[in-house]
Amino acid sequence: MQHTPFDLQLLNACAAILLLLSFAMLAQRRIVALVNLLALQGAMLFIATMLLAWRTGQNHLYVSAALTLGLKVIALPWLLHMLIKRLNVQWDSEPLLNVPGTMLIGLVTVVFSFGLAQPIAELASTATRNSLGIAVAVILLAFITMITRRKAMSQVVGFLSMENGLFFGAMSATYGMPMIVEFGVALDVLVAMLVLGVFFFQIREQFDSLDLHHLESLKEDQ
Amino acid sequence: MAPIDSPLTLSLALLACWAVVGAAGLLRPHSVALVGRVLFPLGAIVGVGLAIVAALSLTEPVEHATLHIGLPDLPMHVRLDNLSRVFLALLGSASAGVSLFAAGYFRKGEGTAPGVMGLQYHLFLASMGFVLVADDAYAFMVAWETMALTSYFLVTAQHGIPEIRSAGFLYLLMAHVGAIAILLSFGILQGGTWLFSFDAMRESTLSTPWATAAFLLALFGFGAKAGLLPLHVWLPEAHPAAPSPVSALMSGVMLKTAIYGVLRVTFDLIGDPLWWWGLIPLALGLATAIFGVVFAAVQTDMKRLLAYSSVENIGVLFTGIGLAIVFHGVGMTELAALALVAVLYHSINHAFMKSLLFLGTGAVLHATGERNLGRLGGLIHRMPWAAWLTLVGVLAIAGLPPLNGFVSEWLLLQTFLFSHEVPQPFVNMLLPLGAAIVALAAALAGYVMVKFFGIVFLGQPRESSLAVAHDVDGFEKAGLVWLAIGCVLLGLLPNQVIHALGAATEQLVGAAPNLAGQSWWMLAPLTERDVSYAPLVLLAVIVAVVAATFLIVRIVYRRPVRRAPTWDCGFGRLDPRMQDTAEGFGQPIRHIFVSFFEMERDLPSPHDQAPRYRVKVSDRFWKGVYLPIAALLARAANSVAWLQQGRISVYLTYSFITLVLLLAVML
């Protein structure tokens, strides 16, 4: 069996932890903990990017890493914590029905993702190509997180987690997107976050709650 | 890039000036003084400049340019050829009068703030100009949609009124349905090259079915904008809803961009239309003309009446286009050129006369606050300027010589007279019928205009509140005078106008009416026949007869003029309510063309102490075409409505399933 270099092993470990964190988010029912998990996911992403930058010597990856650190580990979780405090929802927990069922769906999704990533990974020339399956899995798991939640705040966390997955996917397939795209995406996420923050206040003002099932009343009657 | 002093550059600069003038209104949006007294007159000056640039460059070669504005790597192509120049001249000259009038028209506290209104108005003008110079589908559609949107906002200026909002919605809906058809037409015209510049479309050759499809889509799309039957329903709703200067622009100028579009696609982009295509716009045009004029005759709202009259004129224009296509298709290019000249001439004429009439109604509306014909009357005493200037427009649109409306309708009828030479047996038998219908529509248009002018301005005021009506002054008067002069000059100098329009037909069908060797005051469109028209001589005769009559009466009848009440046939006191009403005037038409209307009538019983007569005339197309389509759409929408669960997690699941399926299928 071929010996994998130590730094690549580290990288794979990071990827594995990312996936693990995604599962943790799927099962987590407290909002504050969910945000912390997101920050942790960001930190893993940061470490992975640094490792990759160091390994491949691609300077722009350092910038990406710095962006990740600033935005996903510090700014966004901080913003979310602020919001949670301002909205006074830190004690909210959602009765996430049937955790084992969700987990099973998650497992199927991961298998599907790896199957999906296999042909692409064979085409890619990067050292990290094996992590592509993990990236797709992170995206789809984040999607499932969003589907199974009822609180607006968790939807946003799921959305940001999905962005993490996309970022990781781009990194493992092609050593990151062009700088300009990355900046754009980073800015988009930040703006989306701010806009959603405004929406939270509006939603709460309207319905006295951030529970999304209130929004069902907005549907047009037949 | 074109040189800096070329007509194309100048035209584009003037269009940009309109945009700047509009934007300047935002500096002080609530200031009537700035927007009304400064910006609208500036807009009028720009319009005059545009008309001059376009008219003077008529014989110059075609100009191209590429503008690197908008999206990166997607430049806009512009082109100035004779067809564009004719319509730019129309836009500039007619809008100058409207802008002058608007300078005095907009007041404080009526719907949208004047500054915002000014921005929408000038962007509307600039986008219409850009439609005329656009030379690729992208630039064309951007300008076309800007035109639709700005005019939508102008129509809904008084958005507090629910009827105006719904009229605006109907307008926007039809505009978009039409725009989709135009877009699809361009999609076919590119002919597999995937180049959307008009140059590529000119060069691509299409098989007959595809070319026919492109033509029909363009006819549908532009017909929706123009108000061609059965796509006319928005027009009588939206045009009256807008403030009068906007109605004037929409009826007078915007409808002509649709005529431009049809001409551009048919004769330029497709290039060689088949002769039988022409029968479609011909038949639709005739139907539209007769339909529009009959409905105009029974209206009781003066602006709706004018809007239906616009429908009629659009019908006449499409009839001319149809004739031109037929003639061109069978190789009679001289006659095709004559038909096209009639179309272009009538477009310009209609721009002037309909703008003049709509502005006249605007003056009446401002003076009295009343649009219902049943509450007006006798205004010629209170508003002599508005009345006499409107009379010019009324006579012109009724097709009376020596004004302009006569010339273009006469030209169209002249063209019809030669249709028996078309080498298609059934067509040349049926076409004279078309001439009869055009003549009928023209005659009925005269009837409609007598009704319009007579009931609004003549007789006795039907309401006491009309006694305080004030006449137009300042800018409003100037705008009306400008348009009236246009109507007169276009009527008196047909040779010069036709010569100028010949430059455009030369480009479209490769021939121009042969006026060489004719005296400048005598119009004889086809020299081998002995039909001719000399407006100046006619004018001189009219003046002489009137002067002679006046003098003779003066000489024979020497006593002073005596004023006395009308003879009341012994019935006792006559009051203004006994005058003929709008309903009464339209009754014969309603009776003759009864099958056109969907009528609801309340006839009071003879014993009723307070009898009320009510009649509501509505459009059969509404019930017959639009409501079934709407019901069908609603049913289709309802059948998929269960998809809308109102729950975010369900929507996310849709996305998730779609994503997974796509990934699984594609990889």
Side-chain angles (χ1 to χ4, degrees):
Chain A
M1 188 180 157
Q2 198 185 350
H3 183 70
T4 318
F6 181 65
D7 48 358
L8 209 53
Q9 284 186 26
L10 262 182
L11 211 58
N12 285 342
C14 282
I17 295 172
L18 264 179
L19 188 59
L20 209 59
L21 284 170
S22 283
F23 269 103
M25 286 168 87
L26 199 55
Q28 182 53 252
R29 51 180 67 187
R30 298 293 280 268
I31 279 182
V32 178
L34 207 57
V35 174
N36 289 337
L37 282 174
L38 181 76
L40 219 55
Q41 212 179 31
M44 274 303 126
L45 211 53
F46 164 69
I47 294 170
T49 319
M50 284 299 279
L51 274 172
L52 196 65
W54 178 71
R55 188 189 148 79
T56 60
Q58 302 227 3
N59 283 333
H60 80 264
L61 280 177
Y62 284 112
V63 185
S64 294
L67 259 180
T68 310
L69 182 67
L71 200 66
K72 288 174 189 156
V73 186
I74 300 168
L76 285 178
W78 178 75
L79 254 172
L80 283 168
H81 277 300
M82 287 278 291
L83 264 177
I84 290 168
K85 244 183 227 147
R86 290 272 299 281
L87 290 163
N88 201 20
V89 289
Q90 55 266 62
W91 313 121
D92 268 21
S93 70
E94 337 189 46
L96 188 63
L97 292 170
N98 203 352
V99 176
T102 326
M103 286 299 183
L104 277 176
I105 296 175
L107 279 176
V108 174
T109 313
V110 172
V111 173
F112 171 77
S113 313
F114 272 90
L116 199 65
Q118 197 62 40
I120 311 175
E122 275 165 17
L123 290 176
S125 56
T126 52
T128 46
R129 56 179 181 260
N130 294 327
S131 334
L132 196 60
I134 290 183
V136 178
V138 169
I139 295 169
L140 294 181
L141 285 176
F143 221 137
I144 297 177
T145 314
M146 285 175 81
I147 292 175
T148 52
R149 299 304 159 119
R150 288 173 48 187
K151 294 274 175 351
M153 196 61 99
S154 353
Q155 303 270 326
V156 173
V157 174
F159 171 70
L160 293 172
S161 168
M162 194 148 64
E163 208 276 326
N164 282 346
L166 279 174
F167 182 84
F168 188 65
M171 206 178 70
S172 30
T174 63
Y175 292 145
M177 293 173 266
M179 212 59 236
I180 184 82
V181 179
E182 235 162 79
F183 274 119
V185 172
L187 191 71
D188 277 356
V189 169
L190 199 61
V191 170
M193 189 57 232
L194 293 174
V195 173
L196 287 169
V198 174
F199 270 137
F200 289 159
F201 282 101
Q202 294 292 335
I203 292 173
R204 199 183 56 158
E205 199 161 296
Q206 202 69 40
F207 300 107
D208 288 327
S209 152
L210 281 178
D211 202 323
L212 287 177
H213 80 259
H214 292 295
L215 295 183
E216 287 170 33
S217 63
L218 297 178
K219 162 178 146 63
E220 202 174 321
D221 287 325
Q222 284 179 38
Chain B
M1 192 70 208
I4 198 78
D5 59 343
S6 76
L8 178 57
T9 322
L10 279 174
S11 307
L12 290 173
L14 286 167
L15 295 182
C17 280
W18 262 336
V20 172
V21 166
L26 291 182
L27 294 176
R28 294 182 61 198
H30 293 284
S31 158
V32 176
L34 170 74
V35 177
R37 310 293 172 261
V38 180
L39 295 181
F40 273 102
L42 274 178
I45 293 172
V46 174
V48 174
L50 188 66
I52 291 174
V53 167
L56 288 185
S57 63
L58 257 176
T59 47
E60 288 181 26
V62 174
E63 281 184 81
H64 289 272
T66 307
L67 299 180
H68 292 276
I69 53 174
L71 296 174
D73 293 332
L74 202 54
M76 293 189 174
H77 299 86
V78 289
R79 178 174 193 262
L80 193 65
D81 58 16
N82 288 337
L83 184 64
S84 310
R85 286 174 186 136
V86 166
F87 279 91
L88 278 177
L90 180 158
L91 166 69
S93 53
S95 75
V98 180
S99 293
L100 270 182
F101 183 90
Y105 185 82
F106 289 115
R107 314 266 157 91
K108 253 197 170 66
E110 289 186 0
T112 315
V116 180
M117 197 86 180
L119 176 65
Q120 293 162 356
Y121 178 93
H122 286 102
L123 280 182
F124 180 40
L125 288 179
S127 58
M128 282 196 282
F130 206 76
V131 163
L132 301 176
V133 294
D135 195 37
D136 62 54
Y138 162 61
F140 187 92
M141 291 314 292
V142 167
W144 188 260
E145 289 292 280
T146 313
M147 184 174 89
L149 281 179
T150 47
S151 53
Y152 165 74
F153 284 114
L154 286 167
V155 166
T156 55
Q158 293 178 350
H159 42 73
I161 304 169
E163 285 83 30
I164 289 188
R165 283 202 303 274
S166 71
F169 175 73
L170 183 62
Y171 169 50
L172 198 63
L173 184 71
M174 293 304 287
H176 277 90
V177 170
I180 290 171
I182 297 170
L183 196 63
L184 289 176
S185 172
F186 285 145
I188 295 175
L189 283 172
Q190 50 85 20
T193 59
W194 298 106
L195 294 170
F196 286 90
S197 75
F198 284 176
D199 272 335
M201 294 183 191
R202 283 182 192 103
E203 274 156 30
S204 69
T205 45
L206 297 172
S207 62
T208 308
W210 281 115
T212 310
F215 171 74
L216 290 178
L217 280 169
L219 188 68
F220 180 89
F222 291 116
K225 194 67 167 185
L228 193 65
L229 223 63
L231 305 164
H232 63 284
V233 285
W234 63 272
L235 205 148
E237 305 297 326
H239 287 210
S244 292
V246 177
S247 317
L249 269 193
M250 287 177 70
S251 259
V253 185
M254 187 186 76
L255 298 184
K256 306 308 168 341
T257 60
I259 300 294
Y260 165 84
V262 173
L263 293 179
R264 173 68 74 197
V265 169
T266 312
F267 289 102
D268 190 19
L269 301 187
I270 297 180
D272 44 351
L274 300 178
W275 70 269
W276 59 266
W277 292 358
L279 299 180
I280 302 162
L282 185 67
L284 288 176
L286 289 171
T288 309
I290 206 78
F291 174 89
V293 75
V294 166
F295 265 81
V298 298
Q299 295 308 310
T300 53
D301 175 320
M302 57 179 177
K303 290 182 84 174
R304 274 178 84 91
L305 182 147
L306 291 181
Y308 272 114
S309 157
S310 289
V311 172
E312 180 236 326
N313 280 285
I314 284 298
V316 171
L317 288 170
F318 271 92
T319 307
I321 293 176
L323 266 188
I325 297 174
V326 171
F327 285 134
H328 183 62
V330 298
M332 299 159 78
T333 45
E334 283 270 318
L335 281 171
L338 192 63
L340 275 182
V341 162
V343 169
L344 297 174
Y345 207 151
H346 197 66
S347 298
I348 299 175
N349 289 343
H350 184 246
F352 274 87
M353 35 202 204
K354 193 46 68 61
S355 301
L356 180 56
L357 292 180
F358 261 119
L359 296 183
T361 63
V364 170
L365 195 58
H366 253 187
T368 65
E370 200 50 71
R371 306 174 19 169
N372 190 338
L373 289 169
R375 296 171 187 277
L376 293 165
L379 286 174
I380 197 166
H381 305 297
R382 289 271 146 209
M383 313 176 66
W385 275 94
W388 286 101
L389 291 169
T390 307
L391 181 63
V392 174
V394 161
L395 293 179
I397 206 164
L400 293 186
L403 292 166
N404 58 352
F406 173 78
V407 186
S408 44
E409 288 189 1
W410 183 72
L411 279 176
L412 188 63
L413 285 172
Q414 285 295 324
T415 322
F416 261 116
L417 290 184
F418 295 97
S419 56
H420 62 86
E421 291 171 10
V422 172
Q424 300 288 341
F426 284 106
V427 176
N428 63 20
M429 281 189 277
L430 286 174
L431 280 181
L433 204 63
I437 295 177
V438 170
L440 175 63
L444 287 174
Y447 183 90
V448 169
M449 285 303 139
V450 169
K451 167 179 170 174
F452 170 73
F453 190 79
I455 290 187
V456 174
F457 290 106
L458 303 183
Q460 299 285 319
R462 288 179 177 77
E463 299 280 323
S464 54
S465 60
L466 300 183
V468 295
H470 55 85
D471 203 0
V472 288
D473 52 5
F475 283 120
E476 287 184 322
K477 197 189 285 178
L480 291 176
V481 168
W482 170 271
L483 293 169
I485 290 178
C487 285
V488 173
L489 286 184
L490 284 167
L492 291 182
L493 302 170
N495 280 33
Q496 287 69 8
V497 179
I498 290 173
H499 180 72
L501 296 178
T505 62
E506 183 78 53
Q507 175 203 325
L508 290 181
V509 295
N514 181 18
L515 299 176
Q518 294 190 16
S519 36
W520 64 273
W521 49 270
M522 175 83 98
L523 173 63
L526 292 152
T527 41
E528 67 267 31
R529 305 287 159 138
D530 47 359
V531 283
S532 60
Y533 169 57
L536 287 171
V537 175
L538 192 68
L539 179 69
V541 171
I542 291 173
V543 169
V545 168
V546 169
T549 315
F550 185 77
L551 283 177
I552 291 169
V553 168
R554 274 287 141 133
I555 290 165
V556 174
Y557 183 88
R558 285 169 164 281
R559 278 177 289 174
V561 176
R562 184 172 58 95
R563 280 187 179 272
T566 318
W567 182 47
D568 57 11
C569 312
F571 267 112
R573 199 173 55 83
L574 286 179
D575 74 29
R577 309 282 308 161
M578 293 175 180
Q579 297 174 88
D580 201 359
T581 58
E583 288 88 350
F585 210 97
Q587 197 273 342
I589 299 289
R590 215 174 59 221
H591 199 73
I592 297 168
F593 295 93
V594 68
S595 53
F596 279 56
F597 306 110
E598 177 93 35
M599 227 180 332
E600 269 177 55
R601 205 155 41 151
D602 293 347
L603 292 172
S605 94
H607 309 294
D608 204 332
Q609 289 302 309
R612 287 195 73 80
Y613 169 77
R614 194 183 66 90
V615 60
K616 186 163 174 272
V617 175
S618 45
D619 197 334
R620 279 190 189 280
F621 282 96
W622 192 247
K623 232 181 201 168
V625 179
Y626 287 86
L627 293 185
I629 291 177
L632 200 69
L633 273 178
R635 266 216 302 284
N638 272 334
S639 66
V640 292
W642 57 269
L643 280 173
Q644 190 199 16
Q645 297 278 346
R647 294 173 60 179
I648 288 183
S649 46
V650 175
Y651 298 153
L652 285 169
T653 313
Y654 293 156
S655 311
F656 183 75
I657 293 171
T658 313
L659 180 67
V660 167
L661 279 180
L662 279 179
L663 284 170
V665 171
M666 299 307 290
L667 292 172

